[in-house]
Amino acid sequence: VQLTNRQCRLAARPQGLPRASDWECVDDAVADVGDRQFLVGVEYLSIDPAMRGWMNPVRSYIAPVEIGEVMRAAAVGRVVQSRHPDFRVGDYVSGAFGVQQYTVSDGKGVTAVDPAIGSPAAHLGVLGLGGLTAYFGMLDVGKPQPGQTVVVSGAAGSVGSIAGQIARVQGCRTIGIAGGHAKCDWLVEELGFDSAIDYKSEDVRRRLRELAPDGVDVYFDNVGGDILDDVLLRLAPRARVVISGAISQYNATEPMRGPSNYLQLLVRRASMTGFVIFDYAKRYPEALSQLAEWLRTGAIRSREDLIEARIDDFPDVLLRLFRGENTGKLVMALPATEVSDGAGAS
Ligand SMILES: NC(=O)c1ccc[n+]([C@@H]2O[C@H](COP(=O)([O-])OP(=O)(O)OC[C@H]3O[C@@H](n4cnc5c(N)ncnc54)[C@H](OP(=O)(O)O)[C@@H]3O)[C@@H](O)[C@H]2O)c1
């Protein structure tokens, strides 16, 4: 049976929020599966704020996606044909498969997904880069100590929701900042944050004064902008500000806004440190086994926000991140591919 590969390619460099015209969805032929290769039917796409950065033609921690290229995306799929000894038909695998229905792989950068540990979508969140980012950003960069006060922004998202729970497990007082009452209730009632600030309806600076009278020891920042400036005014002596991301700035059409209260770093003898998760690759196994253990014992919880959609819906699903429509890890679930016994797919 001839398979067609629906793909979403970058068509133009966006200004501000990506628009429909920045994308082109096309049918392509599925490449032949060579020796020591296998065909993956992509089923779950990780939708990440970083995608916005990859669309810009600038020097960064990873090369930009070129115009005409299939959009880069982490994904989980199933092996539908295999000529590779280590990958069997029917196996779930994870890798940078891109926004497309199928891809041929030689196994490089592909890892097996163990459904016994978590769902395929969880392998893109708490058991994927989101959980890893939370783990190393919080523990290695933030270094929270028992009894300290930890603030996390973007707290109801993929990285933030795990980062805050990790701080709680370390014995810290955790304060989440997120948009909307529902998200704030979820953080406190379901995830065990000590408190939450709804930045859309509350005065963040005033609430931080109330909730962290002795200052903030660790600030795990996912959003940048005004919220970063507000937290900088509340730092405790020798505080650590962890720069995980700055989603409030990713669609800026003016030059990105930096923190104007950065001299608080001097006053408080504090530090501000950025990190890129890929630098921790050698230690992923350690982090993943700890995250899986915390999940198993119920010490932390994860939530995957699954949107059932087709490849052509990707441009709109991506915008959900910037509209704050996701709670937990945003994952696009594609129609399942059919797997037949080694012979191929229909
Ligand atoms: N350093 C690394 O290696 C690394 C790796 C992965 C991810 N990251 C970063 O981690 C951060 C979180 O990523 P994620 O995958 O977990 O995404 P996410 O938090 O699940 O989703 C994005 C969330 O950002 C919030 N948001 C959107 N626009 C905002 C604005 N203008 N101001 C404040 N909040 C806004 C929204 O929640 P609200 O409803 O609360 O606004 C939205 O749900 C991003 O900055 C990302 O770039 C860094």
Side-chain angles (χ1 to χ4, degrees), residues 49 133 157-159 178-179 183 199 222-223 244-245 248 250 275 277 321 326:
T133 300
S158 169
V159 172
K183 290 189 181 188
Y199 76 91
N222 287 312
V223 306
S244 161
S248 74
Y250 292 175
F275 72 101
I277 189 54
L321 290 174
N326 63 304

Side-chain angles (χ1 to χ4, degrees), residues 43-65:
E43 295 189 6
Y44 300 92
L45 285 172
S46 176
I47 309 296
D48 291 291
M51 288 171 152
R52 180 63 189 82
W54 303 337
M55 298 167 78
N56 295 332
V58 294
R59 200 168 67 95
S60 187
Y61 62 93
I62 193 170
V65 175

Side-chain angles (χ1 to χ4, degrees), residues 91 109 123 135 168 171 175 205 251 276 303 316:
D91 285 352
H123 279 81
Y135 183 94
R168 170 176 52 65
I175 303 168
R205 212 177 276 191
N251 292 296
V276 173
R303 175 157 161 179
D316 191 54

